[in-house]
Amino acid sequence: MSTWDEPLRKGPLGGRTAKALADKLDLHTLGDLLRYYPRRYDRRGELTDLALLREGEDVTVQAKVLDARRRTIPARQGRRRMDMMEATVTDGTGRLHLTFFNRGSHHQNTLVPGRLAMFSGRVSTFKGRRQLDHPEYVLLDDEGLEGEAARAYANELIPVYPAVKGLDSATIARSVGVALDYATDIPDPLPPELRSGKGLLGVHKALERIHRPAEWSEVGAARRRLKWDEAFVLQLALAQRRRQAEELPATPRPGADGGLLDAFDAQLPFTLTDGQKEVGERLAERLDATHPMHCLLQGDVGAGKTLVALRAMLRVVDSGGQAVMLAPTEVLAQQHHRSIGAMLGALGRAGQIDGADTATRVALLTGSMNTAARREALLEAASGQAGIVIGTHALLQEHVSFADLGLVVVDEQHRFGVEQRDALREKARDGRPHVLVMTATPIPRTVAMTVYGDLDVVALTQLPQGRAPISTHVVPAHEKPHFLTRAWERVREEVGQGRQAFVVCPRIGDGTDGSGDEVEPPPEDAPPGARPPLAVLDVLARLKEGPLADVRVEALHGRMAPDDKDAVMRRLTSGQTDVVVSTTVIEVGVDVPNATVMAIMDADRFGISQLHQLRGRVGRGQLPGLCLLVTEAEEGSPARERLAAVAATTDGFELSRADLEMRREGDVLGDAQSGARSSLRMLTLVKDEELIGEAREEASRLVAEDPGLTAHKPLADALAALLPEERAEYLDKT
């Protein structure tokens, strides 16, 4: 019996072909090759008389060779000498010229005068003559093909595979064909009852139809079966890990009546939204469980995620534990420290004269703190005096310890690597604290894991009462420069009414070649030779000399000293500054209720997630917000499509889906991030969400009945192939 992991070099293919597939396409086993699916399918074209040919059509003709000749095209500047063969064919209704570059002797020996053949290609015209360049052809006997046989040849679906230099699609197709004929008895990983219940093809029949379809309906049925393979095996991996996680012990954090949380709720100057109450109850249930919570808190900008997270942290403190909040930047950590301190008031000042009897302390730990302040924060965390610790990557250092770490809150989790998040979790006594990650726009992989079933999701869909809407507009500065002029007028109008504004640029522009703060890499669709992205210092100078000459404008970026950054933000908040020209250092957490307008320069240089986060810095009070996406990208380009998607909605999940549709989700097992081949070839998040949900139900049922898959060896083998040790470790950490 053939097996999925059988090496190609020992199986159906010759050593030279197997080596080429391994070296050029990373295909080593029979399973690798059989799951290297066609990118698309071509048809040879409609069977057509030569007299009826039209330029640009894909056609198939049955014709006889009249003459064939070879000639050499001499070398020219920038082009080497080429061997060329030309032939003329006829079907009695007209003539057609054929051209072949290189391998002219091969074609001349085959296409001899009088030989009948079927030729397929696209009709073009050269010097007034109709011709086919490099046509496919099949030699026929003297009688040729007639009727249905000829039409079948013309209409046959031709698989087109992703090819590389030195390994073309036709060679790959021949190799796959050999493998298919060899692997007729390859084991089917899906249980028979599942295949029967879902009406799925057997695996070999599905592979046969995806690689050698007779008609389009066969492709559709094959795709459905092969998507089930990917979805079901992946869901098995996640179901096993969910089961293992539920068996791991963790310290429950049930809270306490009359504690900090009750006192905090009693002093709130507003009523919690229904959404905040519901999410709070769901988090409370998970914190009270005897296995670790791993929860994603999704909420649009301004939905009150920080308040919800704070109430969860207070519940842990009431249970005798500590909570830590990890922020990606010092600006955000300081913002959280100030805002949480302000919300708690006397409840966050334990040991101070005005501290409440039930109070705790809120400590801040960042890399730029002076020695004395740092030592004090470390002591408060280690002793347990600080029930809540807020910080940046400085929290991850080895010498940072906690008395009883019960909850880890990660803000904007996509800004941290798996290893960084794992390092913080290990600071708990048992290495299994409850974990809450927050984001306003899940990155594609996060949404993928959500739908694939690895994250427990709670969502804040209701904005607090009175929150103003944000309108977003694309400003095509190159096509319509007067739009940009009007944009600066709008900024002046808002400032004239006593409000504040942000101008965001992709880089700093201080003479280095750095890209600024946390900015995403330049988009792949950036035109070649495009100018460098706009910089804070350059734009600041232009605005001061031009459209904002009489406005109080300051710069803010990541290379400024922390005290200087904090001072700029305080002046903006207090109204001493009108406009801040910044990098993405303000992307998350900055809360200036009086800021109503933001202009994002070179907006096409940012991803959808960043744009959504950035515009969330305006409209945070009761005044409506305005976000202007300034771009020189051409209309109809992928960059403009991204900007149009952001302008069309303020819904974080919708934007995440748009992001997925434009650039897919990557490999949910993490290998795509390291350059390895993705385990998902057929499955796509947006189109296959319903199928994934069905697969999750079936996988959960099977794992409940047979956790080790001892009765399903082909399925266990498929899971082992999908999830080698390093991938399993990645899933465990995430």
Side-chain angles (χ1 to χ4, degrees):
M1 176 180 284
S2 53
T3 61
W4 292 98
D5 59 356
E6 186 172 341
L8 290 173
R9 55 186 170 79
K10 293 183 179 179
L13 300 179
R16 179 179 299 178
T17 302
K19 186 177 187 305
L21 290 169
D23 293 346
K24 296 180 181 297
L25 294 176
D26 195 27
L27 304 178
H28 302 273
T29 67
L30 189 60
D32 290 342
L33 181 56
L34 292 176
R35 287 177 171 139
Y36 193 74
Y37 303 129
R39 173 180 291 159
R40 58 184 173 85
Y41 300 88
D42 282 345
R43 288 190 187 274
R44 290 193 172 93
E46 185 180 354
L47 191 61
T48 310
D49 289 344
L50 295 187
L52 302 177
L53 295 182
R54 295 181 180 179
E55 186 171 3
E57 288 183 324
D58 292 316
V59 299
T60 297
V61 298
Q62 184 171 274
K64 184 174 292 186
V65 179
L66 289 178
D67 59 66
R69 54 210 170 274
R70 287 179 62 191
R71 64 188 180 93
T72 300
I73 300 176
R76 296 180 181 174
Q77 185 175 4
R79 189 180 71 183
R80 62 184 180 179
R81 189 180 68 171
M82 288 191 296
D83 180 35
M84 179 181 179
M85 178 196 154
E86 297 176 301
T88 306
V89 298
T90 183
D91 67 349
T93 68
R95 295 190 177 192
L96 181 67
H97 296 273
L98 314 177
T99 59
F100 301 89
F101 292 97
N102 299 322
R103 297 193 67 199
S105 59
H106 167 77
H107 297 298
Q108 189 175 30
N109 293 335
T110 304
L111 297 177
V112 296
R115 191 63 195 258
L116 191 65
M118 298 277 282
F119 301 95
S120 301
R122 178 163 294 179
V123 180
S124 61
T125 303
F126 182 69
K127 294 184 177 179
R129 302 186 309 181
R130 288 171 302 174
Q131 67 180 31
L132 300 180
D133 292 326
H134 286 280
E136 290 185 41
Y137 61 88
V138 173
L139 301 176
L140 307 174
D141 56 29
D142 290 342
E143 283 73 31
L145 291 177
E146 296 182 357
E148 288 300 320
R151 281 189 289 274
Y153 174 82
N155 291 324
E156 183 181 348
L157 289 172
I158 308 299
V160 179
Y161 293 87
V164 294
K165 185 177 181 181
L167 199 61
D168 59 23
S169 176
T171 302
I172 297 170
R174 286 193 295 271
S175 300
V176 171
V178 171
L180 281 171
D181 295 337
Y182 175 83
T184 55
D185 57 350
I186 200 161
D188 196 321
L190 293 190
E193 61 273 15
L194 176 60
R195 297 199 306 269
S196 174
K198 298 296 180 181
L200 301 174
L201 298 173
V203 70
H204 189 270
K205 181 174 287 188
L207 291 169
E208 181 77 34
R209 291 185 176 182
I210 203 72
H211 290 294
R212 296 191 292 212
E215 54 190 26
W216 278 112
S217 62
E218 293 188 351
V219 176
R223 282 184 182 274
R224 182 170 179 269
R225 159 61 209 250
L226 297 171
K227 285 182 178 183
W228 258 96
D229 279 20
E230 294 179 359
F232 188 64
V233 174
L234 178 59
Q235 285 298 335
L236 280 175
L238 298 176
Q240 286 182 333
R241 269 147 187 77
R242 284 196 301 272
R243 184 182 179 89
Q244 292 166 6
E246 290 171 0
E247 294 174 351
L248 290 174
T251 303
R253 307 291 176 172
D257 292 336
L260 264 173
L261 179 56
D262 288 345
F264 175 73
D265 286 347
Q267 74 177 24
L268 281 175
F270 52 83
T271 302
L272 295 173
T273 67
D274 291 341
Q276 289 170 333
K277 292 177 184 176
E278 180 184 350
V279 170
E281 291 171 359
R282 292 177 64 181
L283 292 181
E285 291 176 4
R286 288 156 177 77
L287 289 171
D288 198 16
T290 56
H291 58 269
M293 174 182 79
H294 186 201
C295 197
L296 170 68
L297 174 57
Q298 152 70 20
D300 248 328
V301 176
K305 295 185 298 297
T306 303
L307 175 62
V308 169
L310 175 57
R311 295 184 73 247
M313 290 191 284
L314 293 177
R315 184 180 185 86
V316 171
V317 174
D318 280 340
S319 305
Q322 293 169 282
V324 61
M325 177 178 279
L326 180 62
T329 67
E330 289 199 358
V331 168
L332 179 54
Q334 291 165 348
Q335 178 79 36
H336 278 317
H337 185 249
R338 282 197 298 268
S339 62
I340 287 176
M343 283 191 284
L344 287 175
L347 297 175
R349 295 194 287 269
Q352 298 183 28
I353 295 177
D354 61 345
D357 293 338
T358 57
T360 187
R361 291 188 186 180
V362 182
L364 174 67
L365 184 62
T366 66
S368 65
M369 294 173 66
N370 62 49
T371 303
R374 183 179 182 81
R375 184 181 298 116
E376 182 180 1
L378 289 171
L379 180 61
E380 290 182 343
S383 66
Q385 288 179 304
I388 297 174
V389 181
I390 301 169
T392 58
H393 297 77
L395 290 168
L396 308 177
Q397 297 176 0
E398 289 185 9
H399 60 275
V400 179
S401 62
F402 299 88
D404 182 14
L405 181 57
L407 173 64
V408 174
V409 179
V410 183
D411 198 7
E412 295 309 317
Q413 59 89 26
H414 66 274
R415 305 279 283 276
F416 297 96
V418 173
E419 298 291 344
Q420 293 170 314
R421 298 196 297 270
D422 196 48
L424 187 54
R425 290 169 62 183
E426 289 177 356
K427 293 184 181 295
R429 288 176 179 174
D430 56 6
R432 292 185 293 273
H434 299 283
V435 177
L436 176 66
V437 295
M438 302 193 301
T439 185
T441 304
I443 60 170
R445 186 182 175 279
T446 303
V447 180
M449 293 300 284
T450 298
V451 176
Y452 288 123
D454 193 47
L455 286 175
D456 186 11
V457 183
V458 292
L460 278 173
T461 58
Q462 181 183 6
L463 290 177
Q465 193 171 8
R467 182 58 57 95
I470 303 173
S471 59
T472 307
H473 302 279
V474 177
V475 179
H478 182 69
E479 301 163 29
K480 301 177 180 179
H482 61 285
F483 276 32
L484 181 58
T485 301
R486 176 59 186 148
W488 298 127
E489 290 175 356
R490 285 291 291 116
V491 172
R492 291 177 61 87
E493 289 169 4
E494 292 296 309
V495 169
Q497 297 179 59
R499 300 162 191 166
Q500 275 77 43
F502 292 105
V503 177
V504 181
C505 301
R507 64 189 183 99
I508 298 172
D510 57 358
T512 70
D513 57 1
S515 62
D517 300 280
E518 306 290 347
V519 70
E520 294 181 354
E524 295 180 359
D525 51 25
R531 60 162 173 75
L534 293 172
V536 167
L537 300 183
D538 297 335
V539 170
L540 177 71
R542 294 177 195 170
L543 293 179
K544 281 186 172 182
E545 297 172 359
L548 303 183
D550 55 350
V551 172
R552 297 171 296 181
V553 185
E554 290 195 66
L556 179 67
H557 56 76
R559 295 202 184 103
M560 295 170 62
D563 289 345
D564 293 339
K565 287 188 288 187
D566 196 42
V568 171
M569 289 306 303
R570 288 181 183 276
R571 286 194 292 272
L572 183 70
T573 304
S574 66
Q576 299 175 59
T577 296
D578 299 316
V579 178
V580 164
V581 183
S582 172
T583 57
T584 55
V585 71
I586 64 158
E587 180 180 345
V588 288
V590 172
D591 189 7
V592 183
N594 199 43
T596 56
V597 62
M598 172 179 287
I600 304 177
M601 312 305 294
D602 282 344
D604 50 283
R605 304 271 181 165
F606 301 93
I608 286 178
S609 174
Q610 276 192 310
L611 292 171
H612 182 56
Q613 290 282 9
L614 286 167
R615 72 170 164 193
R617 300 310 103 203
V618 298
R620 299 181 69 83
Q622 296 185 354
L623 297 170
L626 173 65
C627 180
L628 303 171
L629 306 176
V630 181
T631 180
E632 293 185 1
E634 294 184 3
E635 188 173 5
S637 66
R640 285 287 286 273
E641 290 180 11
R642 286 200 305 273
L643 300 185
V646 174
T649 181
T650 56
D651 185 293
F653 265 130
E654 286 301 314
L655 285 174
S656 185
R657 286 182 173 275
D659 206 2
L660 276 168
E661 290 172 348
M662 292 178 189
R663 59 180 179 132
R664 293 205 51 176
E665 61 267 27
D667 188 353
V668 296
L669 301 183
D671 278 5
Q673 298 179 4
S674 61
R677 189 173 67 252
S678 172
S679 59
L680 304 181
R681 300 294 188 83
M682 285 286 182
L683 208 61
T684 58
L685 174 66
V686 176
K687 295 180 181 178
D688 301 318
E689 187 171 351
E690 183 176 346
L691 186 152
I692 293 165
E694 291 182 38
R696 183 182 186 183
E697 292 179 6
E698 293 289 343
S700 298
R701 179 188 58 77
L702 184 60
V703 168
E705 297 172 355
D706 183 10
L709 303 180
T710 54
H712 300 85
K713 187 179 184 307
L715 193 55
D717 292 342
L719 181 58
L722 173 78
L723 206 68
E725 185 175 348
E726 62 274 13
R727 289 187 176 189
E729 182 180 355
Y730 186 90
L731 265 184
D732 285 336
K733 289 180 178 179
T734 52

